Amino acid sequence: MSFDIELIVLSYTRFGENSLVLHTLSREYGRKGFMVRVGKKASMAGFLPLSVVEAKVTENPKSNLWKAGDVRILYPLNGIRGNIYKNSMTMFMSEVLYRVVKDGGNEDGLFDWCLGSIMTLDSLESDFSNYHIRFLLELATALGFRPTANTLMPFAKNHFTRLEKMVSLPLAESMLLPLTGEQRNGMCEEILRYLEACTESSINVRSLGVLSELFH
């Protein structure tokens, strides 16, 4: 059986010369990988981190790795793709999702929350340097953990006061909180430690260093 579904791209892994495994998030399956055939001259624009695409998925009860074809971009995300800072942010956000959401995990409402987060970042024209910190806090809430100043305190070494403000402020005001790149990096590390404790897993996010350099 084949049918069209919406997918949020987290990453992909090359598989031979003409195929790749596309790691995605969807309403129907949560986090799941699909085998996709790509030609040598095929555009890879639809496989960038946090691309929102539609694809025809073919279920296969005999395999855990189903096929997806006719991949097409649903939203161009021009506000992200034309901005090196936002693009780097999506690399971080997608890597966090890939590390935190286990294969087969399908938290109710996670896809729609994630889609809303992508569209919000795409629409912000300025003052978005703190967005990835806010994303981490809201991801914890979307996963059912609801971080507060008290629950974050054991993981906040040097940035508790800043995290306390970030948690309490509405989105627009939290984007205006003055932070250095080093402070943002430290806050992210502390929230990731909180997420590690909540999910009982190790979360090694390599792209955080890139953001620290860009938003210094």
Side-chain angles (χ1 to χ4, degrees):
M1 180 183 294
S2 298
F3 50 92
D4 293 332
I5 65 171
E6 293 181 18
L7 302 169
I8 293 173
V9 175
L10 303 183
S11 65
Y12 65 83
T13 305
R14 285 283 183 182
F15 189 84
E17 294 185 1
N18 300 312
S19 299
L20 53 85
V21 178
L22 193 63
H23 305 286
T24 70
L25 194 66
S26 67
R27 292 186 187 92
E28 292 81 357
Y29 305 112
R31 197 195 124 189
K32 186 172 178 60
F34 296 95
M35 183 70 74
V36 178
R37 289 190 62 82
V38 292
K40 292 182 179 181
K41 297 183 179 180
S43 171
M44 299 298 288
F47 306 127
L48 294 173
L50 297 191
S51 290
V52 185
V53 303
E54 187 175 65
K56 188 175 292 295
V57 168
T58 302
E59 293 184 344
N60 182 357
K62 296 182 180 180
S63 173
N64 290 326
L65 190 58
W66 299 348
K67 293 181 179 179
D70 298 329
V71 179
R72 49 203 174 278
I73 297 173
L74 281 180
Y75 307 105
L77 302 181
N78 293 326
I80 291 175
R81 300 310 176 205
N83 187 299
I84 186 174
Y85 300 99
K86 288 186 179 182
N87 264 319
S88 297
M89 207 170 276
T90 60
M91 288 176 58
F92 171 74
M93 292 161 63
S94 62
E95 186 179 1
V96 169
L97 286 166
Y98 180 81
R99 303 291 181 194
V100 172
V101 183
K102 303 304 180 185
D103 192 31
N106 194 7
E107 190 75 27
D108 186 44
L110 181 61
F111 176 90
D112 289 300
W113 167 80
C114 190
L115 178 60
S117 297
I118 296 167
M119 302 310 292
T120 298
L121 177 60
D122 187 60
S123 66
L124 290 175
E125 296 183 357
S126 60
D127 301 321
F128 54 81
S129 300
N130 297 340
Y131 192 77
H132 56 301
I133 306 173
R134 186 74 181 208
F135 171 85
L136 289 180
L137 292 170
E138 293 189 359
L139 171 61
T141 300
L143 293 173
F145 303 121
R146 302 191 182 282
T148 65
N150 287 336
T151 57
L152 287 168
M153 185 183 293
F155 308 93
K157 291 184 177 179
N158 304 311
H159 305 284
F160 175 71
T161 301
R162 299 182 185 92
L163 281 174
E164 186 178 29
K165 288 182 179 178
M166 184 68 70
V167 170
S168 63
L169 291 173
L171 174 63
E173 292 181 34
S174 69
M175 293 300 98
L176 299 176
L177 194 64
L179 297 169
T180 66
E182 183 178 355
Q183 289 168 344
R184 292 188 186 97
N185 190 75
M187 292 169 71
C188 284
E189 289 178 344
E190 290 169 359
I191 301 170
L192 287 171
R193 284 199 293 271
Y194 165 79
L195 281 170
E196 283 185 329
C198 290
T199 59
E200 298 182 342
S201 61
S202 177
I203 305 170
N204 181 22
V205 182
R206 292 173 293 182
S207 55
L208 181 56
V210 177
L211 287 179
S212 179
E213 290 297 321
L214 283 173
F215 294 104
H216 60 273

